[in-house]
Structures are given as C-alpha cells and as structure tokens.
C-alpha cells in the first residue's frame, strides 16, 4: 500500500508547478497584449472589464494584469522576467511608475527574486523622500488669554 509522495517529492513537485505557473502566466499576459492591441474585449469597454466579467479575475488581479500588459507591450523583456519567476505581478505593479526604457533592465535585475517588502525598500532607495526642513513657529496667543 502506497503512503503517497515523500516530503522531497512534494517539495520538488511544488517547485515544478511554480515554474509552469509562471510560464503560463507569462503566456497569458502575452495573449492579453494581443487581445488589448486588437480591442477584443467582447462586450466590455476595456481589458480590465473583460478580465473581471469574462475571465472572472478579481479587480486587484485584473488591475495587475492590465499593468503588466502595458509594461510588456513597451518592454518585452518583462515578459521573460515573469516567465522565469524573476518578478511577480505584485512587485511589477509597484515598479510600474519608475520603469522606463532606460531603467527596465536595471530594475528587473535589482528586483529579481525579491519579496514585495524588499521591492518596497528598493523603491524607497530609488525615490528618497525630499528632505523637509525643520521649522518651529511660535504659537499665536489669543487676546486676553495666557495661551
């Protein structure tokens, strides 16, 4: 009588499935690029609407895919990064505002394999907040009062 897969077999299978999942995800994004280019939204007015109503993605999942479609259209290297699990869609959506033709390769390299939190920290390093000068202003006193 078989007891089922060993721990090692389960862990190995999970890694293999993750690789397949990312490859399929990249293939889906590529398909969505073509659907968006041809405006094949069926009865929907946008790719986002199509993803939600026809493919039954949640709004947040649909939004990340719409962002990925826009980025992959302009920067095809991103599709390979998705397929090879270098970047996840949530991380990509965080990087979207700073990705340009000049920055895409460097950003993908810096974000490769990083968690969401580490990508957030990377963005803080890339976009430091402007220094705010400290200033103390005297409080105005009310007439007739001590404060």
């Amino acid at each position: 009588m078989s007891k089922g897969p060993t721990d090692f077999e389960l862990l190995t299978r999970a890694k293999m499935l993750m690789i397949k999942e990312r490859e399929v995800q990249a293939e889906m994004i590529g398909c969505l690029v073509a659907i968006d280019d041809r405006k094949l939204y069926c009865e929907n007015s946008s790719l986002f609407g199509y993803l939600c109503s026809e493919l039954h993605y949640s709004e947040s999942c649909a939004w990340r895919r719409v962002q990925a479609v826009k980025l992959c259209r302009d920067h095809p290297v991103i599709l390979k990064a998705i397929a090879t699990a270098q970047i996840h869609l949530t991380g990509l959506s965080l990087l979207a505002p700073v990705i340009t033709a000049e920055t895409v390769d460097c950003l993908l390299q810096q974000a490769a394999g990083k968690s969401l939190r580490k990508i957030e920290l990377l963005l803080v390093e890339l976009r430091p907040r402007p220094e705010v000068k400290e200033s103390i202003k005297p409080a105005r006193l009310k007439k007739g009062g001590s404060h």
Side-chain angles (χ1 to χ4, degrees):
M1 178 184 259
S2 174
K3 292 171 37 175
T6 65
D7 293 353
F8 177 78
E9 290 169 337
L10 281 173
L11 294 172
T12 302
R13 178 102 175 113
K15 284 184 181 182
M16 289 174 31
L17 289 171
M18 183 278 300
I19 291 167
K20 284 183 184 180
E21 180 180 37
R22 292 297 181 91
E23 290 170 349
V24 169
Q25 188 177 58
E27 188 176 348
M28 179 64 158
I29 298 297
C31 183
L32 293 175
V33 168
I35 288 170
D36 194 43
D37 287 346
R38 297 180 194 183
K39 309 288 187 241
L40 302 175
Y41 308 134
C42 297
E43 297 177 7
N44 297 283
S45 61
S46 68
L47 180 60
F48 178 82
Y50 172 73
L51 290 169
C52 291
S53 66
E54 299 295 323
L55 300 184
H56 307 288
Y57 281 103
S58 69
E59 288 84 355
S60 61
C61 287
W63 177 244
R64 284 193 297 275
R65 281 155 182 76
V66 168
Q67 283 185 306
V69 164
K70 291 176 182 177
L71 289 168
C72 289
R73 180 182 294 116
D74 295 338
H75 314 286
V77 67
I78 293 174
L79 207 52
K80 183 178 179 187
I82 294 168
T84 58
Q86 290 179 309
I87 189 76
H88 45 81
L89 294 186
T90 305
L92 186 60
S93 69
L94 283 179
L95 293 172
V98 295
I99 290 179
T100 65
E102 295 78 28
T103 64
V104 65
D105 292 326
C106 183
L107 286 172
L108 287 175
Q109 183 179 5
Q110 289 178 312
K114 289 199 169 48
S115 67
L116 183 62
R117 179 69 181 135
K118 288 185 179 176
I119 292 173
E120 288 172 336
L121 293 173
L122 171 65
L123 285 171
V124 169
E125 291 174 17
L126 294 172
R127 298 186 303 188
R129 292 187 175 183
E131 199 170 305
V132 178
K133 294 181 182 179
E134 289 189 37
S135 63
I136 300 175
K137 296 180 181 181
R140 295 186 180 180
L141 298 177
K142 293 181 183 179
K143 287 185 181 182
S146 61
H147 301 9

